[in-house]
Amino acid sequence: MESTVSDFRQRFIRFALDHDALKFGQFTLKSGRQSPYFFNAGAFSTGEALGAIGNFYADAILAAGIEFDVLFGPAYKGIPLAAATAIALAERTGKPIPWVFNRKEAKDHGEGGNLVGAPLAGRVLIVDDVITAGTAIRESLQLIAAAGAQAVGVSVMMDRQERGQSDLSAIGELRRDYDLAVINIASLDDLIAFCADRADLAESRGRMEAYRAEYGVRA
Ligand code: OMP
């Protein structure tokens, strides 16, 4: 059967399942919502898996055609993801691809400050793991604004397509408040479409559809 999910998105979902990064069950989210599925980027715990993830981000970023000057990886989970993405994009574009990350605690010796890597300046593309209500991304946006740089987009492996702080989706609010491009490797809609092709995931699909009806909103 032909799938409705485009190629790299479908390959990514299969890859996440194979690496136990995508789990079905009952999970309490940061927002307090009870979710029938969870994405754990920490499960990509080998160099091989991380290299593949960097290439999935590169697929999504190149497909979006966004222009940026520097990648930003927010501490902690965004750091290895931004590094892997910078390597993959450099290999595929032949460009240097500057990247920078933050520490959670400022350092008062050595080079000082709470930013490590390339200057946080110009057009910034954030690389983070998952977006639910958008709280984590907003912290990064404040940091980028404080540095005098301009956030142009955020790239995540999973857009859960949930409501933010209002009736809009989390990414709808980000677009409205910051004029940001949101680039995902996969979304909840992709995940549900993927499950439609798999009889063994029919029950999980039903629970995700019920969850989407409660917390989801189209961007
Ligand atoms: P928001 O800040 O509400 O957008 O939630 C995003 C963060 O929640 C991510 O950066 C993760 O730390 C965590 N999270 C996941 O890692 N995977 C999920 O499937 C769901 C969440 C979550 O708690 O919402």
Short mmCIF file of all heavy atoms in Angstrom, two decimals, residues 28-32 35 37-41 77 128-137 139 158 160 162 170 211, ligand 1:
data_model
loop_
_atom_site.label_atom_id
_atom_site.label_comp_id
_atom_site.label_asym_id
_atom_site.label_seq_id
_atom_site.Cartn_x
_atom_site.Cartn_y
_atom_site.Cartn_z
N THR A 28 3.40 11.13 31.34
CA THR A 28 3.07 12.48 31.80
C THR A 28 4.06 13.44 31.17
O THR A 28 5.28 13.28 31.30
CB THR A 28 3.17 12.57 33.34
OG1 THR A 28 2.29 11.59 33.90
CG2 THR A 28 2.77 13.96 33.83
N LEU A 29 3.55 14.44 30.47
CA LEU A 29 4.42 15.40 29.79
C LEU A 29 4.77 16.57 30.71
O LEU A 29 4.15 16.76 31.76
CB LEU A 29 3.73 15.93 28.54
CG LEU A 29 3.26 14.89 27.53
CD1 LEU A 29 2.72 15.58 26.28
CD2 LEU A 29 4.40 13.94 27.16
N LYS A 30 5.75 17.36 30.25
CA LYS A 30 6.15 18.58 30.95
C LYS A 30 4.95 19.49 31.19
O LYS A 30 4.84 20.13 32.23
CB LYS A 30 7.18 19.29 30.07
CG LYS A 30 8.03 20.29 30.77
CD LYS A 30 9.18 20.68 29.87
CE LYS A 30 8.96 22.07 29.31
NZ LYS A 30 10.04 22.49 28.41
N SER A 31 4.04 19.52 30.23
CA SER A 31 2.83 20.35 30.32
C SER A 31 1.80 19.78 31.29
O SER A 31 0.78 20.40 31.54
CB SER A 31 2.20 20.45 28.93
OG SER A 31 1.95 19.14 28.45
N GLY A 32 2.04 18.55 31.79
CA GLY A 32 1.09 17.88 32.67
C GLY A 32 0.10 17.01 31.91
O GLY A 32 -0.66 16.25 32.50
N SER A 35 -0.08 11.55 27.87
CA SER A 35 0.03 11.23 26.44
C SER A 35 0.16 9.73 26.20
O SER A 35 0.85 9.04 26.96
CB SER A 35 1.28 11.93 25.89
OG SER A 35 1.57 11.46 24.60
N TYR A 37 1.78 8.47 23.79
CA TYR A 37 3.06 8.20 23.13
C TYR A 37 4.11 9.19 23.62
O TYR A 37 3.77 10.26 24.15
CB TYR A 37 2.93 8.28 21.60
CG TYR A 37 2.83 9.68 21.05
CD1 TYR A 37 3.93 10.29 20.45
CD2 TYR A 37 1.65 10.41 21.14
CE1 TYR A 37 3.85 11.59 19.94
CE2 TYR A 37 1.56 11.71 20.64
CZ TYR A 37 2.67 12.28 20.05
OH TYR A 37 2.59 13.56 19.57
N PHE A 38 5.37 8.83 23.46
CA PHE A 38 6.46 9.71 23.92
C PHE A 38 7.66 9.53 23.00
O PHE A 38 7.97 8.42 22.58
CB PHE A 38 6.87 9.37 25.36
CG PHE A 38 7.74 10.43 25.98
CD1 PHE A 38 7.18 11.56 26.56
CD2 PHE A 38 9.13 10.29 25.98
CE1 PHE A 38 7.98 12.55 27.12
CE2 PHE A 38 9.93 11.28 26.54
CZ PHE A 38 9.36 12.41 27.11
N PHE A 39 8.31 10.63 22.72
CA PHE A 39 9.52 10.63 21.91
C PHE A 39 10.70 10.93 22.80
O PHE A 39 10.77 12.00 23.40
CB PHE A 39 9.39 11.76 20.87
CG PHE A 39 9.50 11.25 19.50
CD1 PHE A 39 8.38 10.87 18.79
CD2 PHE A 39 10.75 11.11 18.91
CE1 PHE A 39 8.49 10.38 17.52
CE2 PHE A 39 10.86 10.62 17.63
CZ PHE A 39 9.74 10.25 16.92
N ASN A 40 11.64 10.03 22.90
CA ASN A 40 12.82 10.24 23.75
C ASN A 40 14.08 10.32 22.89
O ASN A 40 14.64 9.30 22.49
CB ASN A 40 12.93 9.09 24.76
CG ASN A 40 14.22 9.19 25.56
OD1 ASN A 40 14.82 10.26 25.65
ND2 ASN A 40 14.63 8.07 26.13
N ALA A 41 14.54 11.55 22.64
CA ALA A 41 15.71 11.75 21.78
C ALA A 41 16.96 11.11 22.39
O ALA A 41 17.90 10.76 21.67
CB ALA A 41 15.94 13.24 21.54
N LYS A 77 19.41 18.77 25.60
CA LYS A 77 19.17 17.80 24.51
C LYS A 77 19.43 18.37 23.13
O LYS A 77 19.73 17.64 22.19
CB LYS A 77 17.75 17.23 24.59
CG LYS A 77 17.63 16.09 25.57
CD LYS A 77 16.27 15.42 25.40
CE LYS A 77 16.08 14.28 26.37
NZ LYS A 77 14.67 13.86 26.42
N ASP A 128 16.12 21.65 18.12
CA ASP A 128 15.71 21.06 19.41
C ASP A 128 15.03 19.73 19.17
O ASP A 128 14.86 19.31 18.02
CB ASP A 128 14.82 22.05 20.17
CG ASP A 128 14.95 21.87 21.68
OD1 ASP A 128 15.58 20.89 22.13
OD2 ASP A 128 14.40 22.70 22.42
N ASP A 129 14.63 19.04 20.27
CA ASP A 129 14.11 17.69 20.10
C ASP A 129 12.63 17.66 19.73
O ASP A 129 12.26 17.21 18.65
CB ASP A 129 14.43 16.80 21.32
CG ASP A 129 13.89 17.34 22.64
OD1 ASP A 129 13.43 18.52 22.67
OD2 ASP A 129 13.93 16.62 23.65
N VAL A 130 11.78 18.13 20.66
CA VAL A 130 10.34 17.94 20.49
C VAL A 130 9.63 19.26 20.85
O VAL A 130 10.08 19.96 21.75
CB VAL A 130 9.83 16.83 21.46
CG1 VAL A 130 8.32 16.72 21.44
CG2 VAL A 130 10.46 15.49 21.12
N ILE A 131 8.57 19.57 20.15
CA ILE A 131 7.75 20.72 20.57
C ILE A 131 6.37 20.22 20.97
O ILE A 131 5.72 19.47 20.24
CB ILE A 131 7.70 21.82 19.50
CG1 ILE A 131 6.89 23.00 20.01
CG2 ILE A 131 7.14 21.35 18.17
CD1 ILE A 131 7.09 24.25 19.17
N THR A 132 5.96 20.60 22.20
CA THR A 132 4.61 20.24 22.67
C THR A 132 3.83 21.55 22.83
O THR A 132 3.12 21.96 21.93
CB THR A 132 4.67 19.46 24.00
OG1 THR A 132 5.47 18.30 23.82
CG2 THR A 132 3.28 19.03 24.44
N ALA A 133 4.00 22.22 23.98
CA ALA A 133 3.29 23.49 24.21
C ALA A 133 4.15 24.69 23.85
O ALA A 133 3.69 25.83 23.91
CB ALA A 133 2.82 23.57 25.65
N GLY A 134 5.42 24.47 23.52
CA GLY A 134 6.28 25.56 23.06
C GLY A 134 7.08 26.26 24.15
O GLY A 134 7.79 27.23 23.88
N THR A 135 7.01 25.75 25.39
CA THR A 135 7.70 26.41 26.50
C THR A 135 9.22 26.40 26.32
O THR A 135 9.88 27.43 26.49
CB THR A 135 7.36 25.69 27.83
OG1 THR A 135 5.95 25.42 27.83
CG2 THR A 135 7.71 26.52 29.04
N ALA A 136 9.78 25.25 25.97
CA ALA A 136 11.23 25.13 25.82
C ALA A 136 11.74 26.05 24.71
O ALA A 136 12.75 26.75 24.87
CB ALA A 136 11.61 23.68 25.52
N ILE A 137 11.00 26.11 23.61
CA ILE A 137 11.43 26.94 22.48
C ILE A 137 11.42 28.42 22.87
O ILE A 137 12.29 29.19 22.48
CB ILE A 137 10.49 26.70 21.26
CG1 ILE A 137 10.51 25.24 20.84
CG2 ILE A 137 10.84 27.63 20.10
CD1 ILE A 137 11.77 24.75 20.20
N GLU A 139 12.09 29.71 25.70
CA GLU A 139 13.31 30.03 26.47
C GLU A 139 14.47 30.30 25.52
O GLU A 139 15.26 31.23 25.72
CB GLU A 139 13.66 28.87 27.41
CG GLU A 139 12.70 28.75 28.59
CD GLU A 139 12.86 27.43 29.34
OE1 GLU A 139 13.89 26.74 29.16
OE2 GLU A 139 11.94 27.11 30.11
N MET A 158 10.17 16.15 16.24
CA MET A 158 8.75 15.80 16.37
C MET A 158 7.93 17.03 16.76
O MET A 158 8.16 17.60 17.82
CB MET A 158 8.61 14.71 17.45
CG MET A 158 7.20 14.22 17.63
SD MET A 158 6.77 13.14 16.25
CE MET A 158 5.01 13.05 16.45
N ARG A 160 4.46 17.76 18.01
CA ARG A 160 3.32 17.00 18.53
C ARG A 160 1.98 17.65 18.17
O ARG A 160 0.93 17.10 18.50
CB ARG A 160 3.47 16.85 20.05
CG ARG A 160 4.72 16.03 20.44
CD ARG A 160 4.85 15.90 21.97
NE ARG A 160 3.61 15.47 22.53
CZ ARG A 160 3.36 14.22 22.98
NH1 ARG A 160 4.29 13.30 22.93
NH2 ARG A 160 2.19 13.92 23.48
N GLU A 162 0.22 20.25 19.25
CA GLU A 162 -0.72 20.47 20.35
C GLU A 162 -0.99 21.95 20.54
O GLU A 162 -0.26 22.80 20.04
CB GLU A 162 -0.13 19.85 21.63
CG GLU A 162 0.03 18.36 21.48
CD GLU A 162 0.43 17.66 22.76
OE1 GLU A 162 0.16 18.18 23.86
OE2 GLU A 162 1.01 16.57 22.65
N ALA A 170 0.83 25.32 19.37
CA ALA A 170 2.09 25.88 19.89
C ALA A 170 2.85 26.55 18.75
O ALA A 170 3.38 27.65 18.91
CB ALA A 170 2.92 24.78 20.53
N TYR A 211 -6.25 11.38 21.67
CA TYR A 211 -5.40 12.43 22.26
C TYR A 211 -5.41 13.68 21.39
O TYR A 211 -5.53 14.81 21.87
CB TYR A 211 -3.98 11.89 22.42
CG TYR A 211 -3.02 12.85 23.09
CD1 TYR A 211 -2.97 12.95 24.48
CD2 TYR A 211 -2.18 13.66 22.35
CE1 TYR A 211 -2.10 13.83 25.10
CE2 TYR A 211 -1.31 14.53 22.96
CZ TYR A 211 -1.27 14.61 24.33
OH TYR A 211 -0.41 15.49 24.94
P1 OMP B 1 7.25 22.02 25.52
O1 OMP B 1 8.27 22.86 26.26
O2 OMP B 1 5.91 21.94 26.21
O3 OMP B 1 7.13 22.40 24.06
O4 OMP B 1 7.76 20.51 25.58
C1 OMP B 1 8.88 20.09 24.85
C2 OMP B 1 9.84 19.32 25.75
O5 OMP B 1 9.16 18.26 26.42
C3 OMP B 1 10.93 18.65 24.98
O6 OMP B 1 12.04 19.51 24.82
C4 OMP B 1 11.22 17.42 25.85
O7 OMP B 1 12.11 17.74 26.90
C5 OMP B 1 9.88 17.03 26.46
N1 OMP B 1 9.13 15.98 25.72
C6 OMP B 1 9.80 15.00 24.99
O8 OMP B 1 11.03 14.87 25.00
N2 OMP B 1 9.09 14.10 24.22
C7 OMP B 1 7.74 14.09 24.14
O9 OMP B 1 7.14 13.27 23.41
C8 OMP B 1 7.04 15.06 24.91
C9 OMP B 1 7.74 15.94 25.73
C10 OMP B 1 6.96 16.77 26.67
O10 OMP B 1 7.19 16.65 27.90
O11 OMP B 1 6.02 17.44 26.20
#
